[in-house]
Amino acid sequence: MGALSGLPGGPYGFTLPWVLWLLPLALLPLRLKVSRRTGLPSLDAAPADGLSRAIGLGLTLAGIIGLAGLILALAGPYRGGERVTRIGIGAQVSMLIDRSGSMNETFAGRQPSGEEESKAAASRRILRDFVGNRAHDQFAVTAFSTAPMLVVPMTDRQDAVRAAIAAIDRPGLDYTNVARGLGMGLSQFGAERPGVSRVLLLVSDGAAVIDPRIQGQLRAAFAKLRPNLYWLFLRTKGSPSIQDKPVGEDTPQAAPERHLDLFFKSLGVPYRVFEAEGAEAVAYAVQQIEALERDPIPYTEVRLRKDLSALAYALAALGLLVLTLGKLAEADFSLRPVSASPARETPAGVDARPRASDRRAA
Amino acid sequence: MTAEGGGEIVYLPRWRPGGSRVGVHRGRDAGGTGTFRDQVPFLRLPDARRIDLRASLHDPFEGLQVRRFEARTALECWVILDLSASMRFRGAGDRMRLAGQLCEGLAGAATRIGDAFGLMGCDERLREDLFLPATRRRAAALAVAGRVAEVPAEGRGAGGVLEAARLLAGRPKLVFLVSDFRWPDTLIEEAFRALALHDVVPVLLADSAEAEGLPAWGLVELDDLEGAGRRLVFLRPSLRRRWIEREAERVAALRRRAAPYARSPFRLADRFDADALSRHIMTT
């Protein structure tokens, strides 16, 4: 396969490049004419005419285009597939979703019954809309409970992301291990890409103590990637708020949410926390996040290989159409046999042919 | 002079041919029997058989008058035929066939009345394969004239006409210059000048397909028979009008050019019509 790169619009190529060796044939119309030739004693008899010359030139050109188009079409031209990088509005969003058992409960802390929906179901509904809203966002979904689970790596295939989000209301398990979840959520951002705004969206209904050793690693990762951090805290009614100081000793074990918040604040990255006590509050929080994250992001689009032979055939058809029209427009300048009719008393020079006179009369 | 219906060409020389060969044309010289010409004194023509008694008695000087009669003389009728490639044209009629019919007609007409018929074909030079010295033998003349339609016409020009004109020395002759006159202007001029001594009838071979018979609309790829190339022409009423005007202008120019040296050209188009030719020769 021959490929011509460096042309604007991507690499072009031909399926059968050797057919292009026939291209010189396209110059044949310069030598050969399709029209029937009519002998004339002298070309001087025909007056010079610009329109005729233009038509002659046009027909020659049409012949060249027709032949060249056919040969090009036979060679099978195509524009190769490629990845195009464009700039859109959006961000890389790594969603870190709590899958602990408590997410299965409603905001009231009960098992959902009737029309009530669990925290997981509500966040699923709202996050799904979030994903669909903007075309050029990239998402990664990580779930965590005791151990983090990579659900979808960073991708712009929003169908996959939506499918992953649709799965987060499966009954959750066990405890909340935020530290490892954060680690995996951060790792989803992948290699450093300049000019990309990153968002780490933590959706959880509780917190846990982060081991001081792991805290150091997380700090390093946050410092390196510098994501905007949003914590969507789905608070069960009656449970302590982030700001609430515990009654007793203020230790991470006693108030893990408050200390996680403090930890996040100490990271030095843009950070906001949304405390949601119901589905509406969650939706509001998501809207806030959406509004905040409006930065340009380069995204790649895969352009498929495109067959251009239809174009070449169309070109050939155009040329052939013009030639056919030229052929149809050919005059009946046919060489008629000498009429065998006896000489009549018409003065020489007066046209005695009925056909021609009919045509003139018409 | 005419025979076999109306298909015979009749011609009349513009001058009184000299010479002693007996024919049918009114000669320059007197002699023999026939049409009365004039009276001369007996001493000028001592022919006692033709003493005109009535004129002699009228003569106040009492001289004897003798009647003179016009001699009937024969002349030579020549055809100089253009064999350039443009003569190959076949439109409404086949040009070479027309020329052949004309030559046959002239050969028949000339030899029937005792005139000699000669034929010279020429393209760039004199063509040896179509040459007939003036002959009064009907069979020989007709045989060569009959070959005209089959002779290949491939020449690129008609310069041989001047050569042919040089060969036609001597007494004035009746010369039919048969061509389509697709010649350079200088050649036309030179040819007429070279033939000025003779009684020249230019026969312009034309074809309605070249002019009046052109289709009003359409594309035509024209191919010059003399190898001047090809050209695509988009015929339309305006161009057709210009074309026909151009042709008419060409014929008019030929007529102007011929006028000082020859009779006005006879336009032979599509069909050979002996009567039309006869009328033309008798009236010009």
Side-chain angles (χ1 to χ4, degrees):
Chain A
M1 295 207 297
L4 303 166
S5 49
L7 287 176
Y12 289 87
F14 294 94
T15 323
L16 292 174
W18 62 265
V19 177
L20 293 179
W21 286 109
L22 299 177
L23 261 184
L25 286 179
L27 295 178
L28 272 182
L30 292 178
R31 300 284 307 168
L32 305 171
K33 300 282 188 257
V34 283
S35 36
R36 184 174 49 212
R37 283 155 62 177
T38 304
L40 199 72
S42 171
L43 279 186
D44 291 340
D49 182 34
L51 180 62
S52 302
R53 207 169 314 129
I55 290 177
L57 208 67
L59 283 182
T60 308
L61 214 63
I64 292 176
I65 288 177
L67 273 177
L70 281 179
I71 293 169
L72 280 180
L74 286 179
Y78 63 82
R79 192 186 55 202
E82 59 174 350
R83 305 178 74 86
V84 184
T85 304
R86 298 218 168 91
I87 304 289
I89 294 295
Q92 284 191 335
V93 182
S94 177
M95 288 193 242
L96 188 57
I97 295 167
D98 189 356
R99 291 289 307 277
S100 61
S102 57
M103 285 289 279
N104 299 337
E105 295 165 0
T106 66
F107 285 96
R110 294 194 303 267
Q111 285 298 316
S113 65
E115 297 207 344
E116 294 172 327
E117 63 179 346
S118 66
K119 286 183 271 189
S123 54
R124 174 187 79 150
R125 181 164 55 79
I126 290 151
L127 288 177
R128 194 175 52 199
D129 295 344
F130 176 53
V131 168
N133 275 351
R134 294 192 298 183
H136 305 311
D137 281 334
Q138 293 177 13
F139 293 96
V141 180
T142 318
F144 72 95
S145 57
T146 310
M149 287 170 280
L150 193 147
V151 182
V152 171
M154 194 62 78
T155 179
D156 53 0
R157 306 286 160 92
Q158 304 203 344
D159 290 338
V161 177
R162 268 195 291 272
I165 289 171
I168 63 175
D169 65 338
R170 300 278 150 204
L173 342 125
D174 295 329
Y175 311 108
T176 306
N177 189 349
V178 181
R180 293 182 66 189
L182 282 172
M184 182 171 272
L186 286 172
S187 72
Q188 294 273 36
F189 288 120
E192 181 88 18
R193 278 174 63 189
V196 181
S197 128
R198 300 193 173 89
V199 178
L200 182 60
L201 175 59
L202 170 63
V203 182
S204 79
D205 62 344
V209 180
I210 298 178
D211 193 293
R213 283 171 301 177
I214 300 178
Q215 276 190 20
Q217 290 173 17
L218 286 175
R219 270 180 213 284
F222 271 105
K224 186 174 157 224
L225 295 165
R226 303 204 58 77
N228 297 349
L229 178 59
Y230 297 97
W231 183 13
L232 188 54
F233 179 52
L234 310 175
R235 185 157 73 94
T236 312
K237 278 193 182 107
S239 67
S241 165
I242 292 170
Q243 275 80 27
D244 291 348
K245 283 195 175 180
V247 182
E249 211 173 339
D250 188 8
T251 59
Q253 281 75 16
E257 289 84 6
R258 177 174 141 72
H259 282 269
L260 187 61
D261 185 43
L262 290 173
F263 170 65
F264 284 158
K265 279 178 178 153
S266 70
L267 283 173
V269 295
Y271 163 63
R272 274 191 74 172
V273 62
F274 298 94
E275 253 183 279
E277 291 185 33
E280 298 77 25
V282 173
Y284 170 74
V286 167
Q287 272 173 18
Q288 291 284 305
I289 297 170
E290 215 173 281
L292 285 171
E293 293 304 320
R294 304 202 66 84
D295 288 318
I297 178 174
Y299 66 96
T300 56
E301 222 177 47
V302 175
R303 205 167 56 181
L304 298 179
R305 170 168 158 165
K306 194 175 169 208
D307 190 11
L308 296 178
S309 53
L311 202 71
Y313 276 122
L315 203 68
L318 182 76
L320 295 179
L321 178 75
V322 172
L323 284 186
T324 313
L325 286 181
K327 199 74 190 156
L328 289 176
E330 233 169 55
D332 181 21
F333 205 93
S334 53
L335 311 174
R336 296 172 194 89
V338 182
S339 60
S341 59
R344 278 194 281 155
E345 280 297 310
T346 45
V350 173
D351 186 13
R353 288 177 306 138
R355 269 185 77 188
S357 14
D358 288 349
R359 193 186 297 130
R360 272 211 309 284
Chain B
M1 279 198 287
T2 57
E4 290 170 16
E8 189 92 1
I9 301 167
V10 184
Y11 57 82
L12 189 66
R14 268 180 159 179
W15 81 110
R16 300 220 163 176
S20 54
R21 202 178 276 277
V22 176
V24 296
H25 305 287
R26 298 171 69 185
R28 194 182 60 206
D29 303 325
T33 58
T35 315
F36 170 76
R37 184 173 155 176
D38 59 356
Q39 293 132 339
V40 291
F42 181 71
L43 289 175
R44 254 187 79 188
L45 183 70
D47 185 354
R49 291 175 299 174
R50 291 179 177 133
I51 291 176
D52 189 344
L53 284 177
R54 194 168 145 273
S56 301
L57 290 174
H58 275 120
D59 187 357
F61 303 105
E62 298 184 344
L64 276 177
Q65 300 288 329
V66 177
R67 282 193 192 108
R68 278 204 316 186
F69 298 92
E70 282 177 355
R72 309 301 284 192
T73 47
L75 52 79
E76 281 182 19
C77 170
W78 281 86
V79 170
I80 299 179
L81 178 61
D82 177 9
L83 286 180
S84 62
S86 62
M87 295 288 284
R88 243 170 28 208
F89 179 70
R90 299 155 64 106
D94 183 333
R95 193 160 281 178
M96 281 312 284
R97 214 179 125 188
L98 272 184
Q101 285 172 333
L102 174 67
C103 290
E104 276 182 84
L106 283 173
T111 52
R112 174 171 293 277
I113 57 176
D115 288 343
F117 177 78
L119 176 62
M120 280 185 284
C122 38
D123 39 38
E124 289 109 321
R125 49 191 58 258
L126 207 60
R127 283 270 291 261
E128 302 290 335
D129 57 341
L130 193 68
F131 181 81
L132 175 72
T135 177
R136 303 170 74 176
R137 286 169 53 209
R138 188 176 175 81
L142 283 177
V144 175
R147 262 184 29 227
V148 166
E150 278 90 59
V151 165
E154 276 146 10
R156 285 290 180 90
V161 173
L162 303 177
E163 227 169 298
R166 271 197 297 281
L167 288 182
L168 290 182
R171 288 208 171 102
K173 300 164 176 61
L174 180 61
V175 176
F176 289 85
L177 184 54
V178 182
S179 169
D180 53 7
F181 291 100
R182 301 273 182 196
W183 299 349
D185 289 346
T186 51
L187 179 61
I188 295 180
E189 188 77 32
E190 279 175 47
F192 280 129
R193 202 172 287 159
L195 290 168
L197 175 66
H198 307 286
D199 183 5
V200 179
V201 183
V203 178
L204 170 64
L205 287 171
D207 203 298
S208 58
E210 284 182 283
E212 295 89 355
L214 288 169
W217 288 98
L219 285 173
V220 184
E221 170 114 16
L222 300 174
D223 188 4
D224 193 306
L225 288 173
E226 295 193 8
R230 289 180 313 198
R231 184 158 21 124
L232 189 78
V233 168
F234 176 55
L235 278 172
R236 55 197 187 281
S238 67
L239 184 67
R240 180 174 177 273
R241 200 167 50 242
R242 267 163 61 204
W243 187 316
I244 292 172
E245 274 166 15
R246 198 183 167 92
E247 278 298 288
E249 168 59 28
R250 188 176 74 93
V251 175
L254 179 67
R255 182 163 287 127
R256 271 201 310 279
R257 227 171 269 283
Y261 307 105
R263 303 190 193 210
S264 78
F266 174 69
R267 187 169 182 270
L268 179 57
D270 302 354
R271 267 179 317 108
F272 174 63
D273 185 353
D275 293 339
L277 178 58
S278 301
R279 266 201 307 278
H280 181 85
I281 301 172
M282 303 296 277
T283 54
T284 54

